[in-house]
Amino acid sequence: MQTKNDAMSELWRVLSGTQTAYETALKDLDDGSGKDLVTEITSMRKDNIEQVEKYLSEAGTDVSELEAPKRVYSALDWTSAGIDGQEGLEALVRKYEANVLDAYDRAIEPYAAGDPELQFLTEQYQQLSRKLGGLTPDRAAA
């Protein structure tokens, strides 16, 4: 099992990497092609990253010293991914966000009931799951 800081640092890298990829992809998306979903996730992701960064800062971890987030999903080059309309885009977003939910699962693992971090991580997980239409709701930590 990872330490709390390692788990939270890994989550930060996944969130930051996907945020960068989505922001880049938004430039290539046409209105009405699922761009709204990506815009909503991007907005939500900014708030989530801020909360994770606050935790890491309070724990003495400087995110600028963490390994730079990789562009986790280079396939988010929407124009070359062979996406067919809004349904194709939403299916691709769900696929990528399932990996983000996995990162939340790993980040949640070291926390016990009553830990404030467990509460905000679980809330972020559930918010993302709801945004994706209940994708794997049974995986949400309680």
Side-chain angles (χ1 to χ4, degrees), residues 11-25 38 41-42 45 49 69-73 76 96-97 99-100:
L11 178 62
W12 176 84
R13 283 190 286 277
V14 170
L15 294 175
S16 297
T18 57
Q19 180 71 2
T20 300
Y22 281 139
E23 287 173 349
T24 301
V38 177
I41 289 174
T42 302
R45 182 87 11 108
I49 290 169
K70 298 173 184 161
R71 180 158 175 185
V72 179
Y73 303 114
L76 285 180
Y96 294 145
E97 291 303 299
N99 293 329
V100 175

Side-chain angles (χ1 to χ4, degrees), residues 43-98:
S43 176
M44 183 174 58
R45 182 87 11 108
K46 285 179 186 178
D47 294 336
N48 295 351
I49 290 169
E50 285 177 19
Q51 225 172 351
V52 171
E53 285 180 354
K54 181 177 186 265
Y55 165 82
L56 288 169
S57 176
E58 289 172 359
T61 301
D62 181 358
V63 294
S64 68
E65 294 177 5
L66 293 176
E67 175 185 331
K70 298 173 184 161
R71 180 158 175 185
V72 179
Y73 303 114
S74 59
L76 285 180
D77 180 359
W78 307 106
T79 57
S80 64
I83 295 170
D84 186 23
Q86 183 168 342
E87 288 180 10
L89 174 70
E90 289 178 4
L92 191 59
V93 167
R94 287 176 195 282
K95 175 184 168 189
Y96 294 145
E97 291 303 299

Side-chain angles (χ1 to χ4, degrees), residues 19-39:
Q19 180 71 2
T20 300
Y22 281 139
E23 287 173 349
T24 301
L26 277 170
K27 297 172 190 168
D28 297 327
L29 289 174
D30 296 326
D31 290 338
S33 64
K35 188 174 186 174
D36 291 345
L37 175 62
V38 177
T39 301

